[in-house]
Amino acid sequence: MIDSPIFEENNLKQIEFNILNLLKNCTELNNPHIANSPRAVGDSVQEVLGERMSECFPSGTIKDFSDSFARRAMADVAFIDSQDNYFAVDIKTHNRCTDFNMPNLTSVERLSKFYEKIKTSLLYYWQNTKSPMAQ
């Protein structure tokens, strides 16, 4: 695994706790107008994390954070850790109340070009959701 302070056990647990707490307490995600639309939920989670995910990292673990990407970009957010490792994060949501789910994963060709750079990592952030209308 890549040498990064974000993967240190205490930091990783703190990041996970902070992200889950952020999403759990986010009033924008408790909107009944988006609850029944997996796409709307996914877009809302991506927007919230883009705006506030940088707050979830322990102090000193990241140097730079960005959520400014084109609509079809591979990453939704990206950051550079304190050791100059670049991480692109593709945010995915998963509705646990449906029988079939298939995320849109990045193509092999795009990944091979992405990994030509040294000190580059692609992370997937998966967020389980529950839509009351999906059966």
Side-chain angles (χ1 to χ4, degrees), residues 92-98 100-101 103 126-130:
K92 303 291 183 193
T93 55
H94 173 113
N95 185 342
R96 296 183 302 169
C97 295
T98 57
F100 178 77
N101 297 280
W126 295 88
Q127 179 62 48
N128 286 321
T129 63
K130 250 186 172 175

Side-chain angles (χ1 to χ4, degrees), residues 12-115:
L12 200 53
K13 286 180 181 180
Q14 187 66 49
I15 294 166
E16 179 182 18
F17 174 82
N18 290 346
I19 289 173
L20 291 174
N21 199 40
L22 169 67
L23 293 174
K24 189 183 335 177
N25 295 311
C26 184
T27 57
E28 294 97 326
L29 297 177
N30 293 323
N31 181 335
H33 297 289
I34 68 167
N36 296 319
S37 170
R39 186 176 301 270
V41 170
D43 288 347
S44 296
V45 167
Q46 179 181 329
E47 186 175 323
V48 168
L49 290 178
E51 291 172 359
R52 306 214 20 228
M53 187 177 187
S54 62
E55 302 166 17
C56 298
F57 291 89
S59 179
T61 55
I62 63 171
K63 292 200 269 186
D64 192 24
F65 183 88
S66 176
D67 69 335
S68 300
F69 292 93
R71 184 97 176 119
R72 304 234 339 120
M74 189 165 52
D76 296 313
V77 298
F79 60 90
I80 297 174
D81 72 4
S82 61
Q83 309 239 341
D84 292 321
N85 296 303
Y86 176 80
F87 295 89
V89 182
D90 190 3
I91 298 168
K92 303 291 183 193
T93 55
H94 173 113
N95 185 342
R96 296 183 302 169
C97 295
T98 57
D99 292 329
F100 178 77
N101 297 280
M102 188 168 73
N104 181 11
L105 299 177
T106 304
S107 74
V108 172
E109 180 181 357
R110 288 180 77 189
L111 281 173
S112 66
K113 288 180 182 176
F114 180 78
Y115 280 116

